[in-house]
Amino acid sequence: MALLQDSAEMAPKLAEEQISLNGKLAKLRHHKTSKLPHQKQVYLTLEAVEETLKEQNTELTASAYVVALLSILPQAISISEVNNPELAGATVYLLDVVLQHAPNALLVSKFASILSYLTPVLRNSDAQPALIRSAVGCVETILIAQASSAWLGSVLENGPRKMLNSLLELGLDERPKVRKRAQDAVTTVLSHPPPPATLHPALNMCADLALTLVSEQYAEFTGKSRGGRKQKQQQQQQDHSAVSERKIIFSLQLTRAIAMNDLGWPTSKVEQLCETLFSISRSTEEFLINAALDVFQSLFTTMGESYEDNERMDSATFAKIVDSIMNLRPAETDQQRAPTWLAIVAQCFAAYSGVDEAKAFARLPQLFEMISEFLKSGLPPTVVTSASQCLIALASTCIPPKVLLEKPLTNSTKRTLSNVSKSALSLLSVKYQTAWKEVFGILVALFDALDVAADPYLVDAVVTVGELREGEQFEGRTEADDVLSAAIRVLGPDKILEILPLNLENPGPKRPGRAFLLPLLRDNIRNAKLNHFINYMVPLSDHLSQKVLEFVEKEKSMEAKIYSTLIEQIWSLLPRYCDLPSDLRQSFTQKFAELLANVLYQKVELRQVCCKALRILVESNRVYTEVDLESLNPFLAVKLSREDAKKNLEFLSTMASKFLAVLFNVFNQTATEHRHYILDTIIAFLSITLPEDIISTFHKVVGLLNPALDSAAAQKPTPSGNSTIPPISHTMLDLIVAMVPFLPRSLYRDLSIIFVTTIQNDDAKVQTRGYRIVSKLAQSEIGSEYLIESMDTLEDTMVSSAEKIAPPARTARLTSLIDIVRVLPSSDLHFIPAILPEAVIGTKEVNEKTREAAYQLLVEMGDKMAGGGSVSISKVANMDTNAPDVDASISEYFTMVSAGLAGSTPHMISATITALSRLLYQYKNILELDVASELVATIDLFLTSKNREVVKAALGFVKVVVTTLPKDLVEPRLETLVPNLLQWAHEHHARFKLKVKHLVERLLRRFGIEVIERVFPEDDKKLLANIRKSKERARRKKESAETEDAGGQENATTRKKKYLSEFEEAIYGSSSEDEEEYAESDTEDTKYKKKQIKGSNSKGNKKETYIVESKFDDPLDLLDKNVLARMSSTKPTAPVKVTSRQSKIKTTESGKMLVDDEEAGKKAIDPDQEMLEQLAAQAAEANPFGAYVDAVKNGPVRGQRNKLKFKNKRGRDEDDEDMADVRKPHRRTRF
């Protein structure tokens, strides 16, 4: 039994691992067309392995891949050398991929055989780096899978320790990528100790080896550097020193990799490591010093993160380490060492605080003074930034909350806080002016760290920052606002406004206005005193309201608007005052409650703010009682305990009924689009209302609902300004739906009556609210029990009301059916066939939400049928009363749905096929193959239907079949399926041609060209040729694009989700590449149009607009009503220049005409006729719509045999000379 239980627990994990493996292998299969030899070899090896496994009828699991790849390794790697580097690289790379998903039992059993082939690779210095990196990955995965007993052996034995030692050796390799991969593998292996160990058994071995290497190499380096003085010897020593220095850096990098594991450096060896690093840090070699500091940083980072899990270090020992690190202080101008040293100090004191927080806290003033020197003006920005981050980290980690929560504070604590605050305030002097923005960040960290102890130590900082913030030329306003925000959170609004008054009226040089504090107060007040808002903000608001009235009387609209805005900002503070106020029971008096009620009734602009405040007042206290917030914020209990929060809820519950009455009235007077926040507030108060008050409130609402439903006048909405107030019946039903989760069981029968009454109403919105009652009931445990008890009546009601449902209420009805099916007992499964036709028809609804609800209902009913039970067919309406019961199963469910295929209308048949497509996609893994095969054969026949609606649904079903069902099941059906599909390959309606082509492409990818070509009709073979050419064209285009972009930077783009569900994407989804290929296979005209559409919708090809130039060179009048006629979305050709007689006449600058002698001898011109021609030309230009009408009248007409005939109304005696240019043909550019 235990073995079966373990197997059951491992099954989901193995399935998840297999899915992840398939995704990785799918990416490798894309290397089929790669031009890189090593990628091509990976694909060929993977393909060979998969073909072998398929021939052996072996499932493609990670274990199968591992065994197959191990059988290939002897061909590429012998015991002593690598025979075939290309095959070895591809095989080991694939082995690295699949081993990560193989079970641990297989990795343990194949440990010896795998390492026998990988050892020559790891020890071969001439092997390719890529091959070594893959081998390192394999060793890493295998070592992680080993049990504790396997690590008991020595380094000399062929076991995990020996292989880990090989990784340590590679961690010193000269090749950077090999060295980095080996170091990462060491870190990963040490971070995964074999259970049940908490520390890795080989951690001490790795630490000893690293310490020995660093110590010996550094001793050799220092000894050689003090050698002889001859020139030749000095040159040799310099070369040897460079090599030795590089080896030391590699050893330090390996030491850093060991220290970076999740469990940290062994505690017993920390002191020894620090001494070695200190000796290196005192040298004059810059690179060695930086490498040592990097090790320090990694050491203290891991100690700070997981020190509690390790053995505790002696406080005195750690103090010596801290002193030594402080003695390594670099110069303030050193841009290389200073940032690293500051980071080490911050992490070292974070770890020191975990060992002895009292001593770490006591050293904080000294640290602030020392590190403040790195913030002086004129220092490099990197140093200043590192110093500020160091001080922020020290303030966050070295000030323990329990020291600040002591009442009263000890003298040493006060002295330490005073010295720290003085050091922080000194940073606001001119000496540190260039670093003020960083200093403001330090002050924010101090405010957050001190919290309740910030007063009085940081009050002076508020004054100074406030004065700086008021300066007009001050550039750090954003950072100053952050400091003031932190002060508001900690000190509270009352203290801040005492230090920095608002001065909203009559501001001056000595009395600066601080209206900028209002938004800061709105966003940062927490746990404040509500009494401050009542006694300070409310009178201020009343005073400003009087000023607004005075300004309105004096017709000073600008001043009135400013003061109105200030009033709104003041009231926007109320929600923050209501967030866990510390004096709720004392300040929330009857007078203040009446004030809020009056504001809700009278001031519409403040209604949303008041509702939000009341809701937060309830929800914040309720959440505090349910969630342990004190663990997240230890200072919260000082201001308000959990017991106080419970008492606050009890106090508010006594006033809940009165507030509900006010909110109900306001809700009834508010338009639909502005009701949501009122309803949220009502629900919040219903959650704390006493049961007897809820009952009485419910009866009052029902008493108003019944006459409203009976009265036709009450059903009409009431206009209110620009909005419409819903009828009373809608309002009362909304309130009843909101009250359902809080009603006692005794009122559920009344709810049932309301439900039956409302769903039979003719008003669609009433029906919608009625169905929501059932949905709300099903969401609670008590409500679900009641629905189960009254299931018979509920089923009859739902079935009988199906014919009366209004289309807008169909979504709510389907949602309620989903909730009913979820709680449906196995004894009432006859309800499923009763509502099944409605769910099937719902899949064809126009409303998207309705379709989604119908799909979800089909799935819920399928899950219920798959759960087993018995279906009483005799209880289904219009069925034989003597019909036998059938066992519930997914196959029986498909049989029920398939009955719709015999429908009398194409709409019903189409809906049934669509429903079957969704169900097949959902239950493809558990549906019996016989049922699936029969279903495919049945839908195959519908492809021959002449109704396009049915065929469209059948094509979607075929797509699901092709992409989801096993190949063995689909391949026998191809002989009839493919010809039936190709009947629609030439149909453009509803994009049938494109859909058929997509299906053929999917069939080709899955079954291969040989299988598909065998069942392809001869007349349609050209489609296969077209697909092949399209693929080749797309491939060449992609390769050319990659070649062009090879020198540029690759931009990662995220695919936008186009469909709401995976099913719809499987049915309707297609790649843009497919659409482009289809466009290439169409006629030239269709191809041109589709490319135009594609280009206009693409990101880089935005549609442009052109202005058509005038024939007479007149400028475009943008105020002309006919200007749109000269706008074009395509680039116009060159305009035809109209040459009139007037343009031929020469004029002087003053406008006088010059007539040549040749012109004088010609026929005289009739000025009236010339004027008419000019007016006609101008009218045609100014009114193109009229010109369009003339063109239609004078255009061609259809004659006999549908031939075009052109009208020729041009007179024979027209003077064609002047219009010669106009009638000259212009050749259009053809694309």
Side-chain angles (χ1 to χ4, degrees), residues 361-377:
F361 176 64
R363 299 185 65 163
L364 202 55
Q366 179 186 358
L367 279 173
F368 260 77
E369 291 181 3
M370 180 184 297
I371 298 175
S372 296
E373 299 298 321
F374 292 86
L375 293 170
K376 291 179 181 179
S377 300

Side-chain angles (χ1 to χ4, degrees), residues 458-512:
L458 296 178
V459 172
D460 292 340
V462 177
V463 177
T464 305
V465 174
E467 293 175 353
L468 293 174
R469 173 64 175 79
E470 294 161 7
E472 295 182 359
Q473 304 298 327
F474 185 64
E475 297 180 354
R477 290 190 174 186
T478 303
E479 293 76 11
D481 287 344
D482 294 338
V483 177
L484 295 177
S485 299
I488 292 170
R489 291 193 299 268
V490 172
L491 301 178
D494 49 349
K495 186 67 175 180
I496 294 297
L497 294 180
E498 179 184 345
I499 301 171
L500 303 173
L502 290 174
N503 298 332
L504 298 179
E505 291 187 276
N506 302 322
K510 297 183 179 180
R511 195 170 177 270

